[in-house]
Amino acid sequence: MSVTGLTKPMRITTYQLARTAMKSMILIGLALSSMGCVNISAPDKPIQINLNISVTQEVVYRLDGEAKSLIQQNPGIF
């Protein structure tokens, strides 16, 4: 039985592991150092919010016949 590259166990030395870890740390450091800085400050001018709101109110009332006749008989009641 022959040993192929697929069945051969992979052995990683401590040196290779340390080199890989160092490379990944360097890459992470480069990625973090190249990121932009976020600056948050208050605006110089006040914030204006223009609300054009039209409020319309309609009151609809219905009077039954008895109340209607009472108002007609006494016009000064209201």
Side-chain angles (χ1 to χ4, degrees), residues 21-36:
M22 185 60 93
K23 285 180 185 178
S24 62
M25 282 187 211
I26 290 172
L27 287 175
I28 290 171
L30 286 173
L32 290 176
S33 67
S34 66
M35 291 174 55

Side-chain angles (χ1 to χ4, degrees), residues 60-78:
V60 179
Y61 59 94
R62 296 184 185 164
L63 299 173
D64 61 354
E66 188 177 314
K68 197 175 205 179
S69 66
L70 181 63
I71 292 173
Q72 287 175 351
Q73 290 172 2
N74 300 317
I77 199 167
F78 288 107

Side-chain angles (χ1 to χ4, degrees), residues 37-55:
C37 184
V38 177
N39 187 8
I40 299 174
S41 61
D44 296 335
K45 298 183 219 174
I47 299 172
Q48 294 181 358
I49 301 173
N50 295 325
L51 298 175
N52 296 325
I53 299 174
S54 175
V55 178

